[in-house]
Amino acid sequence: MSHSDRRLSQTDRTRHRRLREQGSEDRADLDAILSAGFVCHLGVRVDGDVLVVPTVYGSDGTTLYLHGSVASRSVVAAPEETVCVTVTHVDGLVLARSVFEHGVNYRSAMVFGTPRLVTDPQEKLAGLRCLTEQAAPGQWGYARQPSRKELAATSLLALSLDEASVKIRTGAPDDGDGPDARLGLWAGVLPLHARWGDLEPDPALPTGVEPPPHLTGRQGTPAS
Amino acid sequence: MSHSDRRLSQTDRTRHRRLREQGSEDRADLDAILSAGFVCHLGVRVDGDVLVVPTVYGSDGTTLYLHGSVASRSVVAAPEETVCVTVTHVDGLVLARSVFEHGVNYRSAMVFGTPRLVTDPQEKLAGLRCLTEQAAPGQWGYARQPSRKELAATSLLALSLDEASVKIRTGAPDDGDGPDARLGLWAGVLPLHARWGDLEPDPALPTGVEPPPHLTGRQGTPAS
C-alpha cells in the first residue's frame, strides 16, 4: 500500500465478513490503534501448533517491528510463516437491556504477513529504537544503547503493514430502539481506562538519582 | 488435571524453555490471571492462515468458555483445531539502565487445546452465564436472558484448562547490581493501571432509570 492510498487493502484475510459496521478501512484508524499501544499478540505456527505470544512492538507507519531472543521459538519460526499480529485496546463494557446485546467497546488491528528477519545493522538499530521509543518515549536517548553482543542476542522482525484489518466499536448499546427498551432497565457503557501510575524507583538506586522529565511527565496520563 | 493437583501440567507446549524465572507452574496463578480479565486473544488456523481474534471469555476454574456468532470463521474453525488462547495483563514498563534490559511487567496465561462445541442447552446457558458474569458481574440476573432464537444464533466453545502455561514478571529492573548501575541513570518501573470509569447512560434511556448497585459499585475500581 502506498502512503497516498489512505484506504486499507482488501484481501481474503482482511475483508470484513461479519459486523461490517465495526470494520474500518481507514488507514488513519490503523495508525491510531498501533500508536496507542506497545504490546501485541503474535500468532504463529510453531511445530504445527498455534502459539499466541504477547510481545512488545513498534510501528513507524509502514512497518511493524517485533523483537525477541534469538532463542525464542516464536521469533525463530515467524520468518518462515504467515503470522497474524493483533493489537487490541478495550475501552469499556456495553451494558444492554438483553444479555445477547452485551458487548465490548474496543479498537483492534490485525496485521497479516510473513515477517522479515532484519540483519542490516543500521536497520536493526533503527527498528529497536522505534520499538523502544513506542513503549518508553525518551528512553533510547537516555538509557545505554545496545552493545554489539546485545544486538547479536536480539532478533528483530519486520512485518509490513500492507495487509491489515481494523475493527472498532464505540458508543451505546444497540437495543435502545428495540422492544427491550420497554423493559425499564438501565443501559449504557462502563468505560475502562488505562493510565500510567506513579514511578516506582528501583530499590537498588542510590539516593539522589532523580527520574528524567520524559518519565515524570507520563505519570497519571492515559496509556492507550 | 485434577483439582487436588495445584501444579500446572508439563507438556511440550507448556514447558518453559526460556526466561524460566518468569514461568509459573502454580495453578493459583493461572486462576488469578483468568479471573482478572474478560478479553482473551484466540489463536486459530482458518483456511491455512493463523488468526488472532480478541474475544470475551469466562472461566469457571476448570473450563474456559468462548462464544461467537455461528457465522464467525474463528468460532466455526476452532472445534476442529488445536487453539491457543492467551490472556495478558500489562502491569507496567520496566525502565532499566540499558535499553537491552528494558521490559514489561505482566501476567500472562496461555491455554492450549481443542475446544468442544457446547450443544447441551443447560450447559450452554451455564457457559454463557459464566462468560457474562465474568465481564459484567450481576448482569445475567439483571438483563433479559437469551431467547431460544438468540441461543441458536450463538456458538459456545468450551476449552479445558488442563494444558496451560503461565508467565509473570514483577518488580524492578534486573541491572541494579551490574556494571550499568554505575552509569548514574534513574531506573525503576512505570506502573500501568486499568480502572473502570464513570457509567455513561445510553442516550436512548428514559429519564429516571437509575443504574443498579452492581454497576455503580464498579465505578473507579481496578479492572485487572
Side-chain angles (χ1 to χ4, degrees):
Chain A
M1 176 182 298
S2 71
H3 273 278
S4 55
D5 179 3
R6 304 301 297 166
R7 313 301 295 171
L8 297 175
S9 62
Q10 292 284 289
T11 72
D12 275 352
R13 290 189 290 229
T14 64
R15 192 166 294 116
H16 295 288
R17 288 169 174 77
R18 297 183 42 259
L19 297 174
R20 287 201 178 80
E21 74 281 8
Q22 295 182 13
S24 164
E25 281 149 30
D26 190 339
R27 176 83 193 201
D29 285 334
L30 174 66
D31 292 340
I33 289 169
L34 296 179
S35 298
F38 60 97
V39 171
C40 64
H41 281 83
L42 163 66
V44 59
R45 259 180 302 219
V46 178
D47 299 335
D49 291 318
V50 174
L51 290 190
V52 178
V53 183
T55 189
V56 167
Y57 71 90
S59 168
D60 67 5
T62 306
T63 303
L64 199 73
Y65 291 103
L66 308 169
H67 77 330
S69 160
V70 292
S72 152
R73 287 195 302 160
S74 52
V75 168
V76 168
E80 298 164 11
E81 292 277 354
T82 302
V83 305
C84 175
V85 174
T86 300
V87 174
T88 305
H89 308 293
V90 178
D91 294 323
L93 284 175
V94 181
L95 304 155
R97 286 87 178 161
S98 70
V99 163
F100 187 74
E101 291 289 344
H102 273 57
V104 174
N105 280 342
Y106 68 103
R107 293 160 286 150
S108 184
M110 296 166 75
V111 182
F112 299 94
T114 304
R116 178 173 54 87
L117 188 66
V118 177
T119 53
D120 176 75
Q122 286 311 107
E123 190 189 359
K124 196 164 177 179
L125 265 180
L128 289 172
R129 180 189 178 128
C130 167
L131 191 145
T132 304
E133 287 289 299
Q134 177 134 5
Q139 282 294 100
W140 184 265
Y142 179 77
R144 179 178 64 71
Q145 288 177 25
S147 67
R148 191 179 293 194
K149 192 176 164 189
E150 288 168 345
L151 279 178
T154 306
S155 288
L156 183 73
L157 301 177
L159 179 64
S160 163
L161 294 177
D162 276 355
E163 192 176 350
S165 168
V166 167
K167 282 191 181 176
I168 298 171
R169 194 204 183 282
T170 59
D174 294 325
D175 58 358
D177 57 358
D180 289 333
R182 291 195 291 269
L183 293 174
L185 298 171
W186 189 89
V189 170
L190 180 61
L192 183 60
H193 302 299
R195 195 169 283 275
W196 298 107
D198 291 335
L199 288 167
E200 298 171 351
D202 185 342
L205 211 61
T207 50
V209 182
E210 297 299 328
H214 68 267
L215 295 179
T216 55
R218 249 178 140 189
Q219 297 175 108
T221 64
S224 71
Chain B
M1 175 183 298
S2 71
H3 273 279
S4 56
D5 178 2
R6 305 301 297 167
R7 312 302 296 171
L8 297 176
S9 61
Q10 292 285 288
T11 72
D12 274 353
R13 289 190 290 228
T14 64
R15 192 166 294 117
H16 296 290
R17 286 169 175 77
R18 297 184 43 261
L19 298 174
R20 286 200 179 80
E21 73 282 7
Q22 295 182 14
S24 164
E25 280 149 31
D26 190 339
R27 176 83 192 200
D29 285 335
L30 174 65
D31 292 340
I33 289 169
L34 295 179
S35 298
F38 61 98
V39 171
C40 63
H41 282 82
L42 163 66
V44 59
R45 258 180 304 218
V46 178
D47 299 334
D49 291 319
V50 175
L51 291 189
V52 178
V53 183
T55 189
V56 168
Y57 71 89
S59 169
D60 67 6
T62 307
T63 303
L64 200 72
Y65 291 103
L66 308 169
H67 77 330
S69 160
V70 292
S72 153
R73 286 194 303 159
S74 51
V75 168
V76 168
E80 298 164 12
E81 291 278 355
T82 302
V83 305
C84 175
V85 174
T86 300
V87 174
T88 305
H89 308 293
V90 178
D91 295 323
L93 284 175
V94 180
L95 305 156
R97 286 89 179 159
S98 69
V99 163
F100 187 74
E101 291 289 342
H102 274 57
V104 174
N105 280 342
Y106 69 102
R107 293 159 286 151
S108 183
M110 296 167 74
V111 183
F112 299 93
T114 304
R116 176 173 55 86
L117 188 66
V118 177
T119 52
D120 176 75
Q122 287 310 107
E123 189 189 359
K124 196 164 176 179
L125 266 180
L128 289 172
R129 180 190 178 127
C130 167
L131 191 144
T132 304
E133 287 289 298
Q134 177 134 5
Q139 282 295 98
W140 184 265
Y142 180 77
R144 178 179 64 70
Q145 289 176 24
S147 67
R148 192 179 291 194
K149 191 176 165 189
E150 288 168 345
L151 279 178
T154 306
S155 288
L156 183 73
L157 301 177
L159 180 63
S160 162
L161 294 177
D162 276 356
E163 192 176 350
S165 167
V166 167
K167 282 192 181 176
I168 298 172
R169 194 205 183 282
T170 59
D174 294 325
D175 59 357
D177 57 359
D180 289 332
R182 290 195 292 266
L183 293 173
L185 298 170
W186 190 89
V189 170
L190 180 60
L192 183 59
H193 301 299
R195 194 169 286 273
W196 299 106
D198 291 335
L199 289 167
E200 298 171 350
D202 185 343
L205 210 61
T207 50
V209 182
E210 296 299 327
H214 68 266
L215 294 179
T216 54
R218 251 180 139 187
Q219 297 176 107
T221 65
S224 68

